Amino acid sequence: MQIQPYLFFEGRTEEAIEFYKKALGAQVEMLMRFKDAPPDPEGANTDAGGCAPAPADMDKVMHASFLVGGQRIMASDGMNSGKAEFKGMALSLSYPTDAETKRAFDALADGGQVQQPLVKTFFSSAFGMVADRFGMNWMVITDTGNPPA
């Protein structure tokens, strides 16, 4: 069994994926737009809210899959409301060196909001938290291989 995050960017998925490609080296596995889905007489070609997309939203992302550090993240424009909300969750990135941690943290912070600057802690030589420009929360850490007891 695997648990894979599925993020709803509410109309900004393609922009988010392009940002993650530059910031984190993300690699797109697949991207399907609403217009690319085959016709379905049962009405399964709907957004995350069960509604058929408006004609203006047919170019929006129905489903995408991309890899960050070999880990799959899935995404959609969902109901295209224009306001993504990522409350009560964060994605965590672990790097082997402080330099890699800082590079990823700074890239995610570009246009976003730093919640916890990178600092040395009792559990890591570098740890920080940031909400990127899409409101997605990230925890970025140097993995020292010595988790706290």
Side-chain angles (χ1 to χ4, degrees):
M1 183 180 88
Q2 294 180 348
I3 295 176
Q4 297 172 330
Y6 202 115
L7 309 176
F8 294 92
F9 288 96
E10 295 301 325
R12 297 181 69 192
T13 299
E14 191 165 13
E15 180 186 352
I17 290 172
E18 288 303 313
F19 175 72
Y20 297 139
K21 284 168 61 175
K22 292 176 186 159
L24 303 174
Q27 298 174 323
V28 178
E29 291 185 301
M30 76 82 74
L31 187 143
M32 178 182 276
R33 299 178 191 288
F34 285 101
K35 70 180 182 183
D36 297 329
D40 185 353
E42 301 296 321
N45 295 354
T46 61
D47 62 21
C51 301
D57 291 335
M58 294 303 286
D59 281 329
K60 295 295 184 180
V61 176
M62 183 171 94
H63 173 73
S65 175
F66 59 98
L67 300 173
V68 174
Q71 301 298 309
R72 180 172 292 116
I73 299 174
M74 294 182 282
S76 173
D77 279 323
M79 295 176 22
N80 300 308
S81 71
K83 177 143 172 62
E85 292 187 285
F86 301 104
K87 295 181 178 181
M89 58 136 343
L91 297 180
S92 181
L93 294 171
S94 298
Y95 290 95
T97 68
D98 289 348
E100 290 171 284
T101 301
K102 180 172 177 16
R103 186 204 58 76
F105 183 86
D106 290 346
L108 290 168
D110 183 21
Q113 181 178 21
V114 172
Q115 299 161 328
Q116 166 62 59
L118 278 178
V119 296
K120 183 175 181 173
T121 69
F122 69 93
F123 57 85
S124 176
S125 57
F127 171 77
M129 298 186 311
V130 60
D132 68 26
R133 63 180 65 176
F134 305 98
M136 184 65 236
N137 298 304
W138 296 87
M139 296 188 301
V140 187
I141 187 170
T142 300
D143 185 357
T144 60
N146 298 315

